[in-house]
Amino acid sequence: MYIYNMRLRNINYQTYGGTYAWVKAGFKVIRKLRKRKNINSIKIPLIIFEAEKDDMVDNCGIEKFAKKAKTAQLVRMKDSKHEIFNAGEAVRDSYYRQIFLFLNHVYTAQERMNEENEYETKTDETRKILGTV
């Protein structure tokens, strides 16, 4: 109820269906990602969440990408629909816990200091590949 009420009060939290531009941009990225050379160029660690009961996204596509991406970790969220962050408390707690565990595992404070420049370079390379610069 807190999240729902927050969305009602603040226009910045209100969401609607995808716009034409959003869908077009999504298809553009998907076309680029389907190319093996682009998937192999992704160097940053990825965590990909899959909602078990998603009726808006094809989980088969998510699974194919996760298998091909060397740095990807696929997490299947049981009993979850499209917006995992709006799920029931148990699913939502698991979702956020896994995000923070992933971030803590991948980026310790010392690693952040030592790898910040390398991370930015790899992120910029990935953005160029995806055309999101």
Side-chain angles (χ1 to χ4, degrees), residues 2-126:
Y2 171 80
I3 292 170
Y4 176 76
N5 288 326
M6 180 71 82
R7 284 184 168 190
L8 288 178
R9 286 193 305 270
N10 188 328
I11 195 167
N12 295 315
Y13 290 116
Q14 294 173 11
T15 58
Y16 304 95
T19 64
Y20 174 77
W22 182 88
V23 172
K24 183 179 175 185
F27 281 126
K28 182 179 177 183
V29 169
I30 289 168
R31 275 194 301 278
K32 288 184 178 190
L33 281 176
R34 293 179 79 181
K35 295 178 181 174
R36 172 66 75 178
K37 69 176 185 161
N38 291 340
I39 292 174
N40 291 338
S41 297
I42 297 172
K43 305 296 183 204
I44 60 173
L46 303 173
I47 187 168
I48 303 169
F49 288 90
E50 176 184 76
E52 178 186 52
K53 297 179 180 179
D54 201 325
D55 58 359
M56 298 181 80
V57 174
D58 180 1
N59 284 342
C60 292
I62 292 171
E63 292 166 8
K64 285 179 186 177
F65 175 78
K67 284 180 184 176
K68 291 178 183 178
K70 296 174 186 171
T71 62
Q73 172 187 341
L74 179 63
V75 178
R76 290 182 181 91
M77 298 302 295
K78 186 172 175 52
D79 298 325
S80 178
K81 294 184 180 179
H82 181 68
E83 291 181 331
I84 299 169
F85 54 87
N86 282 331
E89 187 174 351
V91 172
R92 194 174 59 243
D93 285 351
S94 174
Y95 173 67
Y96 286 115
R97 185 173 25 266
Q98 290 182 66
I99 290 171
F100 292 122
L101 286 172
F102 173 80
L103 293 174
N104 285 332
H105 176 74
V106 174
Y107 302 105
T108 64
Q110 186 173 3
E111 287 174 328
R112 268 189 226 131
M113 288 175 28
N114 295 338
E115 297 180 4
E116 186 173 315
N117 291 335
E118 184 181 341
Y119 175 79
E120 290 300 322
T121 300
K122 290 177 181 178
T123 301
D124 287 343
E125 290 170 2
T126 300

